[in-house]
């Protein structure tokens, strides 16, 4: 029995993408992750590796993170070729090391997409998503206070569909998982959350048209119905939202 298994710890070999900046070539570098508790999250494992790198005078691996609770959408990397790693409906910060075995080799790469430039190592620039949101503009309806809001009748079914779409955290895994690097699941979710509710109707057509045009302009690919985005999404956003987005776009084009 190895020391690692006695302590409920594992040892891993990591192949990590290292890239000093957006305009320089990157390469894989190998590191050992030693005595990693299986109760740690994936990001805590990277923290342990980074502490060792810093102690030995080397540059730590750059990766994005904030809430570490699956809420903010900041974290994300390809782990053995899968966006956010092997667990369904899980962000990288919520992926636990118990899903790995002692002696595993783990390949860690940034999201790959023309629209998401690598900033450093595993950090990519996802400001293209912000530009799509900005293109959508504002909602002109004055919803007033809570009593006024309650006076606008919304069926439970519609409210739940809208809330499901609104649970998109903007992580970018859908783009990374798509063979065409399409942003349609993200954009479809953002368009749907407003298009479903009466408060979002006045600008619905303008919004759909502007957001889709911006998405195309930013260099994202097209959708060819691979559904890899849905599989990779940590919030399990349905591709039904892409179909709804296409209907909204058609309405905008017709009227
Ligand atoms: S649709 Fe899912 S995978 Fe895409 S950005 Fe939103 S939460 Fe992330
Ligand atoms: S760090 Fe916030 S979702 Fe992972």
């Amino acid at each position: 029995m190895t020391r690692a298994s006695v302590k409920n710890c594992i040892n891993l070999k990591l192949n990590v993408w290292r890239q000093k900046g957006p305009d320089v070539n990157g390469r894989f570098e190998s590191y050992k992750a030693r005595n990693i508790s299986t109760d740690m999250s994936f990001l805590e494992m990277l923290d342990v590796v980074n502490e060792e790198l810093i102690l030995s005078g080397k540059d730590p691996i750059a990766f994005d993170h904030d809430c570490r609770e699956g809420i903010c959408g900041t974290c994300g990397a390809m782990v053995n070729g899968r966006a956010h790693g092997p667990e369904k409906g899980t962000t990288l910060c919520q992926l636990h090391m118990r899903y790995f075995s002692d002696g595993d080799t783990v390949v860690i790469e940034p999201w790959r997409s023309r629209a998401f430039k690598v900033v450093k190592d595993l950090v990519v620039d996802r400001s293209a998503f912000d530009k799509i949101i900005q293109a959508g503009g504002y909602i002109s309806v004055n919803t007033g206070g809570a009593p006024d809001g309650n006076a606008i009748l919304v069926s439970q079914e519609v409210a739940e569909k809208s809330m499901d779409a609104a649970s998109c955290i903007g992580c970018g895994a859908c783009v990374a998982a798509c063979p065409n690097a399409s942003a349609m699941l993200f954009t479809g979710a953002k368009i749907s959350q407003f298009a479903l509710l009466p408060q979002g109707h006045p600008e619905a057509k303008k919004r759909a048209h502007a957001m889709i045009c911006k998405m195309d302009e930013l260099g994202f690919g097209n959708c060819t119905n691979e559904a890899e985005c849905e599989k990779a999404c940590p919030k399990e956003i349905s591709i039904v939202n892409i179909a709804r987005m296409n209907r909204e776009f058609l309405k905008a084009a017709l009227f």
Side-chain angles (χ1 to χ4, degrees), residues 192-205:
S192 291
Q193 76 182 63
F194 297 122
L196 281 159
L197 297 177
Q199 295 90 333
H201 287 172
E203 286 86 22
K205 294 188 200 85

Side-chain angles (χ1 to χ4, degrees), residues 43 65-75 91-93 169:
L43 298 191
H65 59 102
D66 191 359
C67 71
R68 296 198 177 208
E69 292 181 343
I71 300 166
C72 70
T74 310
C75 66
T91 53
L92 195 63
C93 59
I169 53 175

Side-chain angles (χ1 to χ4, degrees), residues 66-238:
D66 191 359
C67 71
R68 296 198 177 208
E69 292 181 343
I71 300 166
C72 70
T74 310
C75 66
M78 300 300 283
V79 177
N80 291 339
R82 295 177 68 176
H84 288 297
E87 273 304 291
K88 197 170 152 44
T90 307
T91 53
L92 195 63
C93 59
Q94 295 210 299
L95 177 67
H96 279 86
M97 296 313 295
R98 67 182 76 104
Y99 297 111
F100 297 87
S101 303
D102 190 34
D104 276 358
T105 297
V106 184
V107 181
I108 312 169
E109 299 171 76
W111 295 158
R112 306 275 187 198
S113 156
R114 189 150 57 103
F116 292 163
K117 237 181 169 184
V118 173
V119 176
K120 189 177 180 192
D121 300 338
L122 307 176
V123 178
V124 297
D125 177 2
R126 282 170 288 185
S127 59
F129 272 6
D130 299 332
K131 290 180 185 138
I132 294 173
I133 298 286
Q134 281 163 4
Y138 58 89
I139 282 183
S140 61
V141 170
N142 183 357
T143 50
D148 307 311
N150 288 338
I152 302 169
L153 297 180
V154 179
S155 72
Q156 186 183 1
E157 192 198 343
V158 166
E160 283 186 356
K161 280 183 187 163
S162 175
M163 285 303 290
D164 285 348
S167 67
C168 164
I169 53 175
C171 64
C174 46
V175 175
C178 174
N180 310 319
S182 167
M184 287 215 178
L185 192 63
F186 166 79
T187 311
K190 298 301 174 194
I191 286 174
S192 291
Q193 76 182 63
F194 297 122
L196 281 159
L197 297 177
Q199 295 90 333
H201 287 172
E203 286 86 22
K205 294 188 200 85
K206 201 170 97 186
R207 184 183 308 114
H209 187 264
M211 289 176 84
I212 292 167
C213 289
K214 183 55 80 177
M215 177 184 75
D216 290 342
E217 181 195 313
L218 291 167
F220 291 104
N222 221 327
C223 176
T224 48
N225 295 319
E226 313 288 333
E228 292 298 325
C229 53
E230 187 183 70
K231 281 186 225 153
C233 176
K235 297 296 156 186
E236 302 183 305
I237 304 283
S238 166

